Amino acid sequence: MAQPRADARRADSPTCSDYMNFSIAAPKTRQPAPVPSAAAPLASAGSPLPLVVDLDGTLTPTDTLIESVVQLVKQQPLLLFKLPFWLMRGRAAFKHEVASRTAFAADSLPLQQDLLAFLIAEKASGRRIVLATAAHASIADAIATRLGLFDQVLASDAGRNLKGAEKLQAIREHVGQHFVYAGDSRADLPVWQAADAAILVGASKKVANLARGMTRIEREFPKPRTSLALWMRAMRVHQWAKNLLLLVPMVTGFVFSDLSRLAAIALAFMAFSLAASATYMVNDLWDLDSDRVHPRKRNRPFASGSIGIAPGLAVAALALATALLLAAQVSTAFLLILLLYLFMTSAYSWSLKTYVLIDVLMLSMLYTLRILAGAIAVQVTTSSWLLAFSVFIFFSLALVKRCSELVMLGQSGRTAASGRDYRISDLVVLWPLGVGSSLSAIVVLGLFISAPSTQAKYASGQLLWLLAIGMIYWSARLWIKTARGEMHDDPLVFALKDFGSCVSIGLMICVTLAAHFLVLA
């Protein structure tokens, strides 16, 4: 049976004012201003009625149970097969089994900032505030300890799942018959029906209308719209630019006038892009804890709670299914290489990215795999020169990514990356390794230009030396920007946004085309 947990309010516990200072730096989700409604109902003695607050979807926009399951599977993948058997024993037992095997990161959990400010003000005025949640007691207690706001905590345990009617019974047992309840979902309707007033936090229009028909509304905090732009951010549509690498074999083979090949590469591009989006979303869910303590990544849609985990998984599954169907339309061989890409990127996300240097090697291979996939899609032969150049240049770009992250961490006063085996002191090794790999790629490019087969293929092969000069300038520019702390988390995204990089890449493309078509006297 659920037991009440009184807030000890120790001298070393965070106070309301302490948390106000902390919450300024915490991940923050933009929300519309709260909509006030009826005044707070008063108890018979003239003081405000106790305020009972839900956790999942109310105090925090996320679902702590789903996050705990993701964390559990991440730490012990084989336990995934035990989850259905735990669930057969009931939701209370299921939550207890999951919670007993995970350590929930309450300190970085995103919170509804408007509601939190309201609770702090109410607490300061002397109002009694109770946290009543269907989440496991260990999670609820951790949140209560972080905030120092709650006079009492009611939560699920191994024998009781505090949801709906069970939550109402617990509230009546420990709070009384008269209270105000803050919630968000249809499961809260039995509690609102018995409450003296309701506070709606991100409730849907249908749920809000039902609640209004049951009780008075003390206050309402509308849910911000989940816009198309937000979903595009979650799917990282801007990262689709990486899949332009599929076009490289077509361009270098100069077969881009074939309409059937153009149609095949268009399908291949969409298949890879949707598959990549699916893996990005799953990866973001996999990295919630580390992303929330990262200076930039904490603002990602899933880390900030702007998009729920369940909708994210559904969209990821739909994107993946569509990607596989499109890949099958290209060819069986292309479908197989897309499956290989998914296997490699999953291995990277689940394990390999935590190992120093292994992660950047894997990234360089994933980029090179895109070029191979493009060659299979348009049925052209890929030269060994191109593959060698790809491995070196993308290894360098992956190191740019890691170095830029470490530079940024150093600027914020930290000494190591969260979730990755990299330290600020590693820069003394990573700098020369990355620059050396970049120069190696340029050397391979020079050998390619000098090869008799290349000179025979291009009308004016000597012009390609301008391409080598352009590569020297562009790669050096990336490393200088990295050293200055001006590099984006992803160097390819930076290259698409940086004016100097865009001009350099554009000129290199023009030089390549001129070398192929232009005959110099």
Side-chain angles (χ1 to χ4, degrees):
M1 184 172 179
Q3 298 295 325
R5 290 166 173 76
D7 182 11
R9 304 301 298 274
R10 301 185 304 271
D12 59 346
S13 297
T15 63
C16 297
S17 58
D18 291 336
Y19 186 74
M20 284 294 284
N21 292 331
F22 172 79
S23 65
I24 293 174
K28 194 169 183 179
T29 304
R30 290 189 61 190
Q31 297 187 8
V35 178
S37 185
L42 302 179
S44 57
S47 59
L49 289 173
L51 176 55
V52 182
V53 184
D54 183 32
L55 177 60
D56 293 338
T58 303
L59 183 56
T60 176
T62 189
D63 188 310
T64 57
L65 176 60
I66 297 180
E67 289 200 15
S68 298
V69 171
V70 171
Q71 185 184 46
L72 176 67
V73 175
K74 180 179 179 179
Q75 294 172 350
Q76 304 179 64
L78 293 180
L79 289 181
L80 176 66
F81 301 102
K82 287 190 175 183
L83 295 181
F85 299 99
W86 293 344
L87 192 57
M88 291 170 62
R89 291 161 48 193
R91 293 185 67 85
F94 178 82
K95 293 176 182 179
H96 180 73
E97 292 290 349
V98 172
S100 65
R101 291 169 170 80
T102 56
F104 193 80
D107 289 343
S108 59
L109 188 72
L111 301 172
Q112 300 278 15
Q113 295 295 320
D114 290 339
L115 175 63
L116 180 60
F118 170 73
L119 295 179
I120 291 174
E122 292 297 295
K123 183 68 176 179
S125 69
R127 192 173 192 179
R128 182 187 179 196
I129 302 180
V130 176
L131 179 64
T133 173
H136 191 264
S138 61
I139 297 174
D141 288 341
I143 298 295
T145 300
R146 170 187 172 182
L147 299 182
L149 278 173
F150 302 106
D151 298 288
Q152 199 169 23
V153 174
L154 306 176
S156 298
D157 55 26
R160 190 178 186 184
N161 181 40
L162 250 61
K163 187 173 183 178
E166 287 289 337
K167 180 182 289 189
L168 175 59
Q169 183 179 345
I171 292 172
R172 284 173 168 169
E173 290 173 359
H174 301 291
V175 179
Q177 297 294 323
H178 299 285
F179 59 91
V180 177
Y181 180 72
D184 68 292
S185 69
R186 180 178 288 273
D188 296 318
L189 291 176
V191 186
W192 276 325
Q193 189 169 24
D196 292 76
I199 294 178
L200 306 179
V201 184
S204 67
K205 186 176 181 180
K206 185 174 182 179
V207 169
N209 288 336
L210 290 173
R212 290 189 184 97
M214 295 176 174
T215 187
R216 301 191 325 172
I217 305 300
E218 177 180 326
R219 199 171 180 91
E220 185 171 355
F221 296 85
K223 183 177 182 178
R225 274 188 172 185
T226 305
S227 64
L228 178 61
L230 190 62
W231 275 109
M232 290 177 68
R233 278 185 57 205
M235 295 180 70
R236 298 198 212 175
V237 173
H238 63 280
Q239 298 278 17
W240 289 11
K242 295 178 180 179
N243 297 318
L244 292 174
L245 290 171
L246 274 76
L247 301 175
V248 170
M250 173 177 279
V251 174
T252 56
F254 294 95
V255 293
F256 39 77
S257 59
D258 188 327
L259 292 180
S260 63
R261 285 173 168 167
L262 285 173
I265 204 66
L267 288 175
F269 175 82
M270 287 306 302
F272 249 81
S273 296
L274 290 173
S277 287
T279 58
Y280 286 140
M281 287 189 284
V282 172
N283 184 47
D284 284 350
L285 295 174
W286 206 249
D287 285 345
L288 279 177
D289 291 342
S290 58
D291 281 356
R292 284 172 179 165
V293 298
H294 191 278
R296 292 181 187 172
K297 294 179 182 179
R298 67 184 185 184
N299 295 318
R300 287 176 172 174
F302 295 119
S304 65
S306 301
I307 295 180
I309 297 176
L313 288 173
V315 172
L318 179 61
L320 180 58
T322 306
L324 295 177
L325 287 174
L326 292 176
Q329 297 302 311
V330 178
S331 68
T332 302
F334 182 80
L335 175 60
L336 291 176
I337 201 166
L338 179 60
L339 291 173
L340 176 60
Y341 167 82
L342 289 171
F343 172 78
M344 291 175 63
T345 194
S346 297
Y348 169 81
S349 299
W350 288 23
S351 176
L352 298 181
K353 69 179 181 181
T354 61
Y355 295 94
V356 64
L357 293 181
I358 297 294
D359 62 331
V360 287
L361 282 169
M362 180 62 72
L363 286 175
S364 68
M365 292 172 63
L366 286 171
Y367 283 124
T368 303
L369 190 65
R370 287 176 168 92
I371 295 177
L372 281 172
I376 290 174
V378 297
Q379 300 179 13
V380 297
T381 303
T382 306
S383 71
S384 58
W385 293 114
L386 177 60
L387 296 180
F389 172 81
S390 174
V391 170
F392 280 119
I393 195 64
F394 289 119
F395 182 65
S396 176
L397 291 177
L399 286 170
V400 164
K401 181 180 176 71
R402 291 292 168 261
C403 288
S404 67
E405 291 174 349
L406 291 176
V407 168
M408 184 173 58
L409 290 174
Q411 291 173 344
S412 63
R414 297 171 60 189
T415 59
S418 176
R420 300 183 188 275
D421 188 20
Y422 284 95
R423 304 171 186 174
I424 303 297
S425 58
D426 294 336
L427 283 172
V428 296
V429 176
L430 299 180
W431 288 123
L433 187 60
V435 174
S437 181
S438 178
L439 293 175
S440 297
I442 296 169
V443 169
V444 171
L445 177 60
L447 293 173
F448 165 74
I449 294 170
S450 302
S453 59
T454 303
Q455 294 299 318
K457 187 176 181 179
Y458 287 82
S460 301
Q462 295 304 316
L463 284 178
L464 291 176
W465 287 109
L466 295 176
L467 177 62
I469 294 173
M471 282 298 304
I472 293 172
Y473 169 77
W474 179 64
S475 60
R477 179 183 176 84
L478 291 183
W479 281 104
I480 289 174
K481 291 291 185 180
T482 302
R484 293 177 178 177
E486 300 174 4
M487 177 58 60
H488 187 276
D489 286 340
D490 192 311
L492 290 182
V493 174
F494 172 83
L496 293 174
K497 294 182 177 181
D498 177 59
F499 178 76
S501 294
C502 289
V503 172
S504 300
I505 294 172
L507 289 175
M508 286 188 283
I509 293 174
C510 290
V511 165
T512 303
L513 294 174
H516 181 76
F517 293 108
L518 185 62
V519 178
L520 298 180

